[in-house]
Amino acid sequence: MTPAARLHGNETLLEVDNLRVHFHSARGVARAVDGVSFRVRRGETFGLVGESGCGKTVTALSVMRLVPTPPGRIVGGRVMLNGQDLHGLPESSLRRIRGDRIGMVFQEPMGALNPVFTVGQQVTEVLRRHRDVSRRQAAELAVQMLERVRIPEPARRMTEYPHQLSGGMQQRVVIAMALACGPDLLIADEPTTALDVTTQARILELLRELQRELAMSVLLITHDLGVIAEAADRVGVMYGGRIVECAGVNAIFHDPQHPYMAGLLRSLPGRQRGGHPLPAIAGSVPSPLAYPSGCRFHPRCSLAVRACAETRPQLRKVQPGHGAACIRLPGYWREGEALPAGLEPPDPRAAHAR
């Protein structure tokens, strides 16, 4: 757990409740995000992990109501920042929050930076929009921010254009823009995807240092389990537009409860023993245009039974501080609840997808 997370305890900064986002096309309605709920505590890093197409980025964009409309539309749910309903605000009020109380680092820095403006113009624009400062004061603060994100010769970099910088430097500029106003929450969407391994490590370390300095919360979106293991305090695992498991990072990696997360961990290089082939999860991620009935993972799950195709599992507490959406888990069913037809009482002694 990060020092800031220990300092602020369990106080909730961001609450996402039953978020649903649909995309309309000639082929039908894609339910990209379909009932996602999670909380980000003050000072912590909450990681959202899953395969490409599971709804992670759409969830991140929905927090700030940046889903392109059309074809996308937020059709339900709430997003609360410090008790304030963001989706109930007019666009003018939300624009004041974006870049000020919430900063965002996008996954492709060249797509986030405008190629026709200098680095200095882009960083100072954020400060001028959200702070009552002169152009000169904004420029001075921008230089300080570039220095803070470890960009050498920041005054000279202010006059350069994005194409004159390396990918790592471009990402540092994007981070500087996101943090210029000292946000309460930083949304980092695949912040290291386009970078080489060495630069990835430096960017992650930079984010950790800045988080400690600013005591901010981080919503980290990634498909990389290594990044999650290194950077997150708690983790939400997404599959088919839903969160199927949520727990502290140690519990997720050492005691996964959902078969999907267990399968991901088994398929990591280095986990195979005795020269056996690397295990893989059969099949592919379902299309949001046509999700399977019941548990959306059941067509790929080696443990699935008939009831898995007929019962939609909810994210429930199965262990202290650990939630999962699998009807075959021993801790899923509450005392007195009727089991689905054909489902045997779970065996607490059975190893589950290890």
Side-chain angles (χ1 to χ4, degrees), residues 297-331:
F297 185 61
H298 87 263
R300 307 175 68 190
C301 182
S302 61
L303 300 176
V305 294
R306 179 179 175 181
C308 297
E310 300 171 347
T311 305
R312 173 177 172 171
Q314 304 297 317
L315 188 68
R316 285 186 174 182
K317 184 176 77 171
V318 294
Q319 291 183 0
H322 200 144
C326 177
I327 63 173
R328 299 204 62 196
L329 287 171

Side-chain angles (χ1 to χ4, degrees), residues 76-269:
R78 296 187 312 161
V79 175
M80 310 288 289
L81 180 70
N82 223 4
Q84 183 179 31
D85 185 0
L86 297 184
H87 288 182
L89 295 176
E91 181 62 25
S92 57
S93 299
L94 201 54
R95 279 198 298 267
R96 289 193 291 269
I97 290 175
R98 299 184 192 124
D100 184 10
R101 295 173 62 194
I102 302 177
M104 187 160 187
V105 177
F106 295 90
Q107 56 183 287
E108 178 48 63
M110 273 305 289
L113 295 171
N114 193 318
V116 303
F117 291 105
T118 65
V119 167
Q121 288 173 315
Q122 297 186 62
V123 180
T124 55
E125 172 65 18
V126 177
L127 291 160
R128 295 269 290 166
R129 181 175 292 273
H130 296 289
R131 295 290 180 267
D132 183 19
V133 293
S134 66
R135 192 176 301 277
R136 180 177 178 178
Q137 289 172 322
E140 292 173 351
L141 291 172
V143 171
Q144 293 174 17
M145 197 67 231
L146 293 180
E147 185 176 17
R148 200 171 193 176
V149 297
R150 317 294 187 263
I151 290 182
E153 301 181 84
R156 180 169 68 85
R157 300 294 186 185
M158 289 276 288
T159 64
E160 295 183 342
Y161 291 86
H163 73 270
Q164 296 176 276
L165 306 179
S166 67
M169 286 297 177
Q170 291 171 7
Q171 193 65 295
R172 288 169 188 262
V173 172
V174 173
I175 293 172
M177 293 171 61
L179 300 184
C181 295
D184 298 321
L185 173 69
L186 176 69
I187 300 175
D189 183 15
E190 303 277 10
T192 62
T193 295
L195 307 175
D196 62 76
V197 175
T198 302
T199 306
Q200 283 185 20
R202 290 172 179 166
I203 292 296
L204 289 175
E205 179 59 31
L206 173 64
L207 288 175
R208 280 195 297 268
E209 291 176 7
L210 293 171
Q211 182 182 28
R212 288 194 293 267
E213 291 177 19
L214 300 173
M216 65 182 175
S217 302
V218 177
L219 174 58
L220 177 63
I221 313 293
T222 184
H223 65 270
D224 190 328
L225 292 175
V227 170
I228 286 292
E230 186 175 347
D233 297 307
R234 289 189 306 122
V235 185
V237 182
M238 287 196 71
Y239 186 85
R242 298 175 181 164
I243 291 182
V244 297
E245 187 164 3
C246 186
V249 66
N250 289 333
I252 284 286
F253 279 88
H254 297 294
D255 190 22
Q257 294 296 300
H258 197 278
Y260 174 61
M261 185 61 199
L264 289 180
L265 292 176
R266 283 201 309 273
S267 65
L268 289 176

Side-chain angles (χ1 to χ4, degrees), residues 28-63:
V29 178
R31 293 173 288 165
V33 177
D34 195 25
V36 166
S37 300
F38 61 89
R39 296 182 179 186
V40 181
R41 300 164 182 161
R42 286 191 176 276
E44 78 166 351
T45 296
F46 183 87
L48 210 52
V49 67
E51 294 174 83
S52 296
C54 69
K56 306 184 303 297
T57 292
V58 176
T59 298
L61 293 174
S62 300
V63 168

Side-chain angles (χ1 to χ4, degrees), residues 278-290:
L278 188 67
I281 300 175
S284 58
V285 178
S287 167
L289 291 165

